[in-house]
Amino acid sequence: MGYETVIGLEVHCQLLTDSKLFCGCSTDYIGKEPNTNVCPVCLGLPGSLPVLNKKALEFALKAAIALNCEILPYSHFYRKNYFYPDLPKAYQITQYDIPVGRHGWIELPYSHKRIGITRIHLEEDAGKLVHPTKTGRIEHATYSLVDYNRAGVPLIEIVSEPDFSSPSEAREYLMELRSIVQHLGISDGNMELGSMRCDANVSVHREGEGLGVKVELKNMNSFKALERALNYEVERQIKLIKSGGRVEQETRHWSEPEKKTISLRGKEEAQDYRYFPEPDLLPIYVDEEILESIKSDMPELPANRRKRFVSMGIGEKEASIMVIEKSIGDYFEEAVKYFGDAKSIANWILGDFLGELNRAGLEIQDSRVKPHQLGRLLTLIKDGTISGKIAKKVFSIMFDTGDDPDEIVKREGLVQIVDRSEIEKVVEEVLSANPDAVESYRKGKANIFNFLVGQVMKATKGKANPNVVRDILQKKI
Amino acid sequence: MDVRHIAKLSNLELTEDELREMEEHFNAIMEYFKKLSSVDTERVEPTFYVIKHQTPMREDRVEKGLEREDVLGIAPHTEGGYIRVPRIR
Ligand SMILES: [Zn+2]
């Protein structure tokens, strides 16, 4: 009998505001000296009062609209109380019964499955703890060090319905979600740097039976880690049930080095957050005026952009790859301004360009090759100045140096030879140097022809126009 | 009222005497709430806020916070710019 998997995701995205959610401290905390980016509000000093960042609310509403949520005309903040030193106030300001938005959905780009969004709400981030030990493991630490620079940075939490029936669907959703927040310009969605974080709820059950016990998974810091952790956990639960065991309701950590999930049992007992309405803030009223001004300012979203790319002549799959990372889509659109054949641009970006970027460990926006230069390179191929093969070589030099393609072609003497008499000369040389090959071609070995073309190309360092070479060879042989 | 549970949530250690004393206080407070609970609120919407105003908002502008020495100055223990706290189990 088969097993079915049920997965739900809880995603946190840091919002790209300049200042924190309730105070004027900067949100730019990465790489800063500890505790240099704090004030009485985010330190929770007595007498300080939080004041809501208007832009953070607008960003949350943008996300709620993009995720097709019902926007609630009234919502408010709560205190979630817990004793842990990453929050100096001993509570987190968050939302609870009335979030900014609820009951939304998104459609996955590949499987076209519709995933429900339970809720989306605003809350503040916590500080960072360091546990200094020789082993690096928290259980061996005798004390902890706290940096409050991140405390109070605005987050949105997006909770999905348990609508995923496989780890790959969950990954697809997370990638689409990242693309949406990137296109909205409200978060950079960087999992490695922690500006996008994801927890998962996983359970399995026998086909036709009721739902299994949920396990909460934490600490997945990349898309690959998420999929691996989910796969591991699904396997673990199925094995456990098959061997007569019972899945326990618990929180487990994904360990990337060990490639397994580890129980945190004992650490987190039944949580009791004692939520109550935040008395230091008043309610949020979202009226038509606010909503209309946000709706009129909505950028193009990934689903529409994919459709538009397809209408430009790009395959559906290629369009998806270019949209899933906003910066690639931006680069593509810019390059198309300089060279109208969108399909060729896409092929170059998804082929040689992404290859070089992966090797160099760079993002497309950090590349030395600018969109107009890629467009120019393709123009050089089209007008016959260089061959497609030489273009790959030119591109590789462009990638390393950032030089213009024209300059590289001139400097390296890569201009394509189209002059027939010049090529004829080389063809004759090749024919007289390879009498055996010519002989066997005449005896019917047709594939020798390509060998001879190759010899001519080699003799011209790839610069001869291959069509002209074929034409001349055909006549001479 | 499980005072022990409440104390644990706040990471407080109480002696048996203190527990008993707290329990008395807690129970007295709970008595007040019982009185409130006796009011019929069947048709009353919950009142989260008595003031029905939009919460004041600020523009998204960065402002200078505290100097680090002042921040660390109010912490009982510090180390290398961090605030040092007991490990939480
Ligand atoms: Zn602050």
Side-chain angles (χ1 to χ4, degrees), chain A residues 18-19 24 34 38 52 146 285, chain B residues 54 58 60 63 66 68 83:
Chain A
D18 293 330
S19 65
V38 289
L52 180 61
V146 198
Y285 295 96
Chain B
Q54 175 78 288
R58 21 176 293 273
D60 181 28
E63 279 156 39
L66 295 170
R68 178 153 74 166
I83 292 164

Side-chain angles (χ1 to χ4, degrees), chain A residues 80-325:
Chain A
K80 179 182 180 180
N81 299 278
Y82 65 92
F83 192 88
Y84 203 65
D86 61 356
L87 273 172
K89 305 191 291 290
Y91 59 83
Q92 178 192 29
I93 304 179
T94 178
Q95 297 192 285
Y96 184 53
D97 55 347
I98 313 175
V100 167
R102 65 181 176 200
H103 304 156
W105 53 268
I106 65 174
E107 189 185 300
L108 299 185
Y110 299 106
S111 58
H112 298 291
K113 184 170 172 177
R114 189 182 271 210
I115 302 297
I117 304 289
T118 314
R119 54 186 278 131
I120 165 168
H121 75 237
L122 258 177
E123 63 184 29
E124 58 178 345
D125 207 344
K128 276 188 160 180
L129 292 185
V130 182
H131 310 284
T133 54
K134 284 185 188 125
T135 58
R137 295 187 71 134
I138 176 172
E139 55 267 38
H140 298 149
T142 52
Y143 61 91
S144 302
L145 299 175
V146 198
D147 169 16
Y148 288 124
N149 284 348
R150 197 180 66 180
V153 168
L155 298 174
I156 45 171
E157 179 177 312
I158 302 161
V159 183
S160 85
E161 291 290 305
D163 284 348
F164 309 104
S165 47
S166 72
S168 65
E169 270 178 19
R171 178 184 173 162
E172 191 185 345
Y173 163 84
L174 193 59
M175 293 188 86
E176 179 68 0
L177 199 57
R178 178 181 65 164
S179 182
I180 289 172
V181 296
Q182 282 180 347
H183 279 82
L184 289 171
I186 62 168
S187 176
D188 58 19
N190 189 322
M191 289 194 79
E192 283 77 10
L193 290 179
S195 59
M196 182 161 152
R197 291 165 235 159
C198 175
D199 300 335
N201 284 304
V202 192
S203 72
V204 301
H205 61 269
R206 287 203 182 88
E207 249 171 69
E209 289 185 7
L211 292 180
V213 175
K214 264 196 305 197
V215 168
E216 196 185 352
L217 288 189
K218 288 179 178 288
N219 200 38
M220 289 84 72
N221 298 327
S222 68
F223 294 104
K224 274 187 192 141
L226 171 72
E227 199 171 351
R228 273 201 284 263
L230 289 171
N231 277 319
Y232 177 91
E233 185 58 22
V234 168
E235 282 302 304
R236 186 189 73 86
Q237 292 185 16
I238 292 175
K239 253 189 229 163
L240 196 60
I241 296 171
K242 275 186 175 163
S243 65
R246 259 188 27 208
V247 176
E248 271 188 72
Q249 186 167 352
E250 60 176 351
T251 301
R252 297 177 73 89
H253 251 223
W254 170 248
S255 164
E256 185 65 29
E258 295 169 83
K259 300 280 183 290
K260 63 179 191 181
T261 62
I262 296 161
S263 174
L264 288 180
R265 206 167 322 159
K267 198 192 163 207
E268 274 171 280
E269 301 154 42
Q271 283 287 11
D272 184 352
Y273 293 124
R274 295 155 293 153
Y275 282 97
F276 65 84
E278 167 58 89
D280 285 347
L281 292 160
L282 287 171
I284 303 167
Y285 295 96
V286 179
D287 58 24
E288 277 307 309
E289 197 185 324
I290 298 177
L291 262 185
E292 281 315 310
S293 88
I294 291 172
K295 277 183 185 163
S296 68
D297 191 34
M298 289 289 279
E300 185 183 35
L301 292 171
N304 201 63
R305 201 177 200 194
R306 269 191 296 272
K307 275 189 208 140
R308 193 161 54 77
F309 282 6
V310 169
S311 75
M312 290 164 79
I314 314 297
E316 218 172 286
K317 192 170 160 246
E318 286 76 16
S320 293
I321 300 172
M322 284 197 293
V323 171
I324 210 78
E325 185 73 67

Side-chain angles (χ1 to χ4, degrees), chain A residues 17-24 33-35 38 40 45 51-55 57 74 76-78 83-85 97 130 138-139 141-148 269 272 274 277-278 281-285, chain B residues 5-12 46-72 74 77-89:
Chain A
T17 53
D18 293 330
S19 65
K20 290 184 179 177
L21 186 52
F22 298 115
C23 62
E33 285 292 310
N35 299 308
V38 289
L45 299 187
V51 185
L52 180 61
N53 183 336
K54 193 175 164 195
K55 193 164 215 170
L57 174 64
Y74 168 96
H76 54 214
F77 287 102
Y78 272 80
F83 192 88
Y84 203 65
D97 55 347
V130 182
I138 176 172
E139 55 267 38
T142 52
Y143 61 91
S144 302
L145 299 175
V146 198
D147 169 16
Y148 288 124
E269 301 154 42
D272 184 352
R274 295 155 293 153
E278 167 58 89
L281 292 160
L282 287 171
I284 303 167
Y285 295 96
Chain B
H5 177 62
I6 302 290
K8 198 170 174 205
L9 289 172
S10 306
N11 210 37
L12 292 174
T47 305
F48 293 111
Y49 296 91
V50 267
I51 311 168
K52 304 277 178 202
H53 276 296
Q54 175 78 288
T55 195
M57 292 188 221
R58 21 176 293 273
E59 295 301 318
D60 181 28
R61 257 196 305 274
V62 174
E63 279 156 39
K64 181 96 187 67
L66 295 170
E67 293 301 327
R68 178 153 74 166
E69 57 201 82
D70 295 331
V71 176
L72 299 179
I74 54 173
H77 307 285
T78 63
E79 184 177 313
Y82 289 92
I83 292 164
R84 185 176 157 162
V85 297
R87 195 196 116 198
I88 302 298
R89 278 155 214 278

Side-chain angles (χ1 to χ4, degrees), chain A residues 20 22-25 37-43 151, chain B residues 65:
Chain A
K20 290 184 179 177
F22 298 115
C23 62
C25 293
N37 187 30
V38 289
C39 74
V41 174
C42 55
L43 283 176

